[in-house]
């Protein structure tokens, strides 16, 4: 789960249609072969399943370089290994779930720059990504682990599908 706050550059709050433009801008700068999606999360928590759900959807759309899927999640335990497995010269698009305020629920925070996974639940993991997308899957509160466990699966599945579909449209993949 990513932080909501600004990292190195301003994060833009957007809906799914805004993600298409975000991915088109990346596609204009980098060929698809140089892009790796790093989809962070675990299928053991409904709210945090956004990453592996998105990764599996990206594979279905035909993206060639995806780390973090339902069969092989990229989580806090293996994040450093997954990052090390990405070949040098790849541009990383990090995708993660996050918690946010009521007005932002169901929206996305996209940025040129990294996100810091798991910070809102008190873990200290490395910032990752040349680009990043954080999906606000539920409300921020005093018990983030409980919130993630009780996040509606439907919302997470819809948002994962929106990210993957926007990426496919932005990179010109038809699937």
């Amino acid at each position: 789960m990513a932080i909501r706050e600004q990292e190195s550059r301003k994060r833009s709050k957007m809906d799914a249609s805004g993600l298409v433009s975000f991915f088109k801008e990346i596609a204009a700068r980098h060929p698809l072969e140089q892009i790796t999606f790093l989809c962070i999360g675990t299928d053991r928590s409904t709210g945090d399943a956004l990453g592996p759900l998105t990764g599996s959807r990206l594979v279905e759309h035909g993206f060639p370089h995806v780390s973090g899927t339902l069969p092989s999640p990229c989580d806090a335990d293996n994040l450093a290994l997954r990052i090390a497995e990405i070949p040098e010269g790849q541009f990383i698009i990090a995708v993660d779930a996050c918690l946010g305020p009521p007005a932002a629920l169901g929206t996305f925070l996209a940025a040129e720059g990294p996100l810091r996974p798991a910070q809102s639940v008190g873990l200290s993991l490395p910032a990752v990504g040349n680009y990043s997308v954080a999906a606000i899957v539920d409300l921020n509160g005093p018990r983030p682990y409980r919130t993630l466990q009780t996040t509606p699966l439907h919302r997470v599945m819809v948002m994962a599908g929106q990210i993957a579909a926007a990426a496919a449209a932005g990179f010109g993949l038809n699937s």
Side-chain angles (χ1 to χ4, degrees), residues 29 32 38 64 66 69 83 86 102 106 114-115 133 143-144 146-147 149 151 175:
R29 295 179 190 171
L32 184 57
L38 184 64
V66 178
T69 61
I83 293 169
I86 297 171
L115 56 77
V133 175
R143 297 172 54 196
R146 171 109 172 102
T147 300
Q149 293 295 326
T151 296
S175 210

Side-chain angles (χ1 to χ4, degrees), residues 107-134:
T107 64
F108 304 92
L109 300 174
E112 181 177 345
L115 56 77
R116 189 172 297 276
Q119 188 172 20
S120 64
V121 292
L123 296 179
S124 180
L125 298 174
V128 63
N130 302 98
Y131 303 93
S132 57
V133 175

Side-chain angles (χ1 to χ4, degrees), residues 9-117:
R9 304 228 172 141
K10 184 177 183 334
R11 296 197 178 284
S12 298
K13 181 177 137 185
M14 60 187 66
D15 61 13
S17 62
L19 283 178
V20 175
S21 296
F22 176 72
F23 287 121
K24 280 184 179 179
E25 289 177 22
I26 297 170
R29 295 179 190 171
H30 311 289
L32 184 57
E33 298 76 31
Q34 292 181 348
I35 297 292
T36 294
F37 283 88
L38 184 64
C39 301
I40 305 161
T42 179
D43 63 348
R44 294 179 183 197
S45 169
T46 308
D48 206 27
L50 177 103
L53 283 166
T54 302
S56 291
R57 286 290 194 62
L58 290 166
V59 169
E60 290 171 4
H61 279 287
F63 283 91
H65 305 291
V66 178
S67 182
T69 61
L70 285 170
S72 183
C74 172
D75 58 23
D77 293 332
N78 66 13
L79 179 64
L81 174 66
R82 292 304 185 98
I83 293 169
E85 292 173 344
I86 297 171
E88 195 168 320
Q90 288 288 101
F91 293 91
I92 298 171
I93 301 174
V95 177
D96 199 2
C98 74
L99 302 175
L105 184 63
T107 64
F108 304 92
L109 300 174
E112 181 177 345
L115 56 77
R116 189 172 297 276

